[in-house]
Amino acid sequence: MAVENTPAPVVVDLSVAEFRARLDEALGIYVAAMDYPRGTEHHRAPMWSEHVTRPGWRGVAATVPGTTGEADRLVGIAYGYRGAPHQWWHQQVYSGMRRSGWSDNDARSVLDNYVELTELHVHPSAQGHRLGEALLWRFLDDRPESTALLSTPEIDGEDNRAWRLYRRLGFRDIIRNFTFTGDSRPFAVLGRALPLTGPPA
Ligand SMILES: CC(C)(COP(=O)(O)OP(=O)(O)OC[C@H]1O[C@@H](n2cnc3c(N)ncnc32)[C@H](O)[C@@H]1OP(=O)(O)O)[C@@H](O)C(=O)NCCC(=O)NCCS
């Protein structure tokens, strides 16, 4: 009986040029992973393209090597950049922190030196094999910032892979049930101190 050998995915850094060249593929992963309606990618493309110009941007990909001359296939994507006070996300999180009881000093000290994980997605066909974890480790490896922050939709009982992953890697609550301007869904903002220590399991 013939046995089909699918090569194992590898996790690699993406240069800005590689990210731009694979933007459509990356947006396809995002739409499939988040189960968003087709067409969402067209709205996100300009934003993702602008994000690569931000200081401290880093992109990481999980790819399945192609066999016999085929191109490799993207199955996971993570990117983010250094946070800064003029950024919309920074301003939203600062006001959310203040509204949820953080003092001005404490909020500013968390937001003083952080990297934002902006996107992390693994194609549904490749989920459940710790690829998301490998992407997140690589993204956070050797960052110069002292804190990593991210936002993720609230889910009953924190019962999805994103929440389990973030908790496993030590992310803690910064704000819960927060609504960003223009989006009625509740989000959590989570954070952890850097560096991430210990090898990925
Ligand atoms: C969140 C996401 C990136 C995580 O990636 P992933 O590769 O699926 O998940 P992980 O790297 O955490 O791997 C998890 C799986 O590894 C396995 N695993 C976890 N710990 C393990 C261990 N100690 N030993 C063996 N296997 C283990 C489990 O099968 C686990 O699945 P489970 O959480 O359902 O039990 C991905 O599921 C995804 O794209 N989800 C949809 C989009 C999304 O929510 N993005 C984040 C938005 S903020």
Side-chain angles (χ1 to χ4, degrees), residues 6 17 23 60 98 112 119 128 131 137 141 154 169 192 196:
T6 307
L23 183 61
V60 182
R98 297 288 285 126
D112 181 46
E119 304 290 349
L131 264 187
W137 266 94
D141 185 46
E154 292 280 1
L169 265 58
R192 65 151 292 147
L196 207 54

Side-chain angles (χ1 to χ4, degrees), residues 50-131:
E50 187 272 320
H51 286 164
V52 299
T53 66
R54 297 189 175 189
W57 183 90
R58 177 183 283 171
V60 182
T63 62
V64 176
T67 48
T68 57
E70 289 171 350
D72 62 352
R73 189 164 46 88
L74 202 64
V75 292
I77 182 82
Y79 83 77
Y81 43 79
R82 184 177 169 80
H86 65 274
Q87 293 166 0
W88 179 84
W89 195 87
H90 180 114
Q91 291 162 4
Q92 292 277 308
V93 170
Y94 172 77
S95 62
M97 289 174 82
R98 297 288 285 126
R99 281 203 304 276
S100 65
W102 287 73
S103 71
D104 179 58
N105 261 353
D106 288 350
R108 285 184 193 279
S109 113
V110 168
L111 295 172
D112 181 46
N113 182 17
Y114 73 95
V115 56
E116 176 194 329
L117 174 71
T118 311
E119 304 290 349
L120 170 64
H121 307 288
V122 171
H123 192 275
S125 64
Q127 289 177 13
H129 303 286
R130 310 192 87 170
L131 264 187

Side-chain angles (χ1 to χ4, degrees), residues 33-34 120 122 127-128 130-133 152 161 164 166 168:
M34 298 300 283
L120 170 64
V122 171
Q127 289 177 13
R130 310 192 87 170
L131 264 187
E133 182 175 308
T152 194
R161 287 203 165 114
R164 285 192 288 274
Y166 300 144
R168 201 162 69 237

